[in-house]
Amino acid sequence: MSTLSTTPLADLTVDYGTRPTMPALPDATDTDRHMGRRLAAIHRMHLNDVGRIGIVLDRIEAGEASGRDLSDAVTSAEFAQNVRQFGSLCGRECKVLNFHHDAEEYSLFPQLAGQGNDALRAVVDRLKEEHKVVHELLVRLERAAMALMFEVDTEKFDEARAVFRQLETVVHSHFGYEETQLEEAIGVFRVGV
């Protein structure tokens, strides 16, 4: 069994095959959907972090920032800290889902899987797999940023930019999938975000 650490960058994606879908829940109300949209608000904060990292890369390319600036941006990004500390993208923000759980992996997903149907369980399983891809890309981006700390050369910069672009693509796709598939379920099953 190969690990993601040996997977080529281009293959670290979440859009492989067909993602399972969650059919509409007939009892879902607008209030339920509104509760589910709170997840999207948390995701926007993380996407802002991703955008800031992209700006630093642009500044390095223009000669206006250093590799150290990139390393600082990556390691201080909220989503990166959450993955390191809690093992998931939502980290601290997901603590409110359950007073004694602190991450999607241990709170949101098990609650939804336990209360939901087979379709919801399939979506949750897929989201867990996608978290592993995001984690691997964050590890690679941190590594690439560290390589630029002491010398910004074309090859190292191109590697950092390629990893960043892959991470950006994966995170946008993952967040969109998670938001659309869980929007109703979060409210219907009263799983707070």
Side-chain angles (χ1 to χ4, degrees):
M1 181 177 156
S2 71
T3 66
L4 290 178
S5 65
T6 60
T7 302
L9 181 61
D11 294 338
L12 284 174
T13 182
V14 295
D15 293 326
Y16 53 88
T18 305
R19 285 174 163 160
T21 58
M22 180 64 197
L25 295 171
D27 296 335
T29 65
D30 286 340
T31 301
D32 294 328
R33 284 183 280 282
H34 179 72
M35 285 178 62
R37 287 187 202 113
R38 291 181 187 165
L39 185 61
I42 292 169
H43 287 167
R44 296 296 84 65
M45 177 183 61
H46 296 314
L47 291 173
N48 286 337
D49 278 343
V50 171
R52 282 190 288 278
I53 293 168
I55 289 168
V56 173
L57 280 165
D58 292 342
R59 290 184 58 227
I60 290 171
E61 190 171 37
E64 300 169 356
S66 69
R68 177 73 178 176
D69 294 324
L70 178 61
S71 181
D72 289 347
V74 171
T75 58
S76 68
E78 184 81 19
F79 68 87
Q81 290 177 19
N82 287 336
V83 169
R84 280 192 303 276
Q85 188 172 0
F86 301 106
S88 78
L89 289 174
C90 67
R92 289 192 293 264
E93 294 81 4
C94 289
K95 279 187 166 184
V96 299
L97 298 174
N98 189 303
F99 292 115
H100 59 280
H101 293 293
D102 58 14
E104 281 180 344
E105 303 285 331
Y106 303 106
S107 181
L108 177 66
F109 293 166
Q111 287 181 58
L112 290 172
Q115 296 180 57
N117 54 29
D118 289 341
L120 182 55
R121 281 187 281 284
V123 167
V124 166
D125 288 345
R126 177 59 183 265
L127 290 168
K128 287 178 172 180
E129 289 303 309
E130 291 186 7
H131 278 187
K132 293 173 188 174
V133 173
V134 172
H135 180 265
E136 176 60 26
L137 288 167
L138 285 170
V139 167
R140 289 185 190 195
L141 184 58
E142 285 183 329
R143 207 174 317 139
M146 293 296 288
L148 288 172
M149 281 184 60
F150 303 106
E151 178 186 12
V152 177
D153 66 30
T154 303
E155 185 178 332
K156 290 177 186 175
F157 179 80
D158 289 347
E159 175 65 17
R161 174 71 85 182
V163 173
F164 171 75
R165 284 187 176 142
Q166 189 73 2
L167 174 67
E168 185 177 40
T169 299
V170 164
V171 167
H172 277 275
S173 179
H174 173 75
F175 282 171
Y177 176 59
E178 190 171 74
E179 291 165 16
T180 58
Q181 298 306 306
L182 299 183
E183 181 182 60
E184 290 183 346
I186 287 170
V188 168
F189 298 120
R190 301 292 183 243
V191 179
V193 175

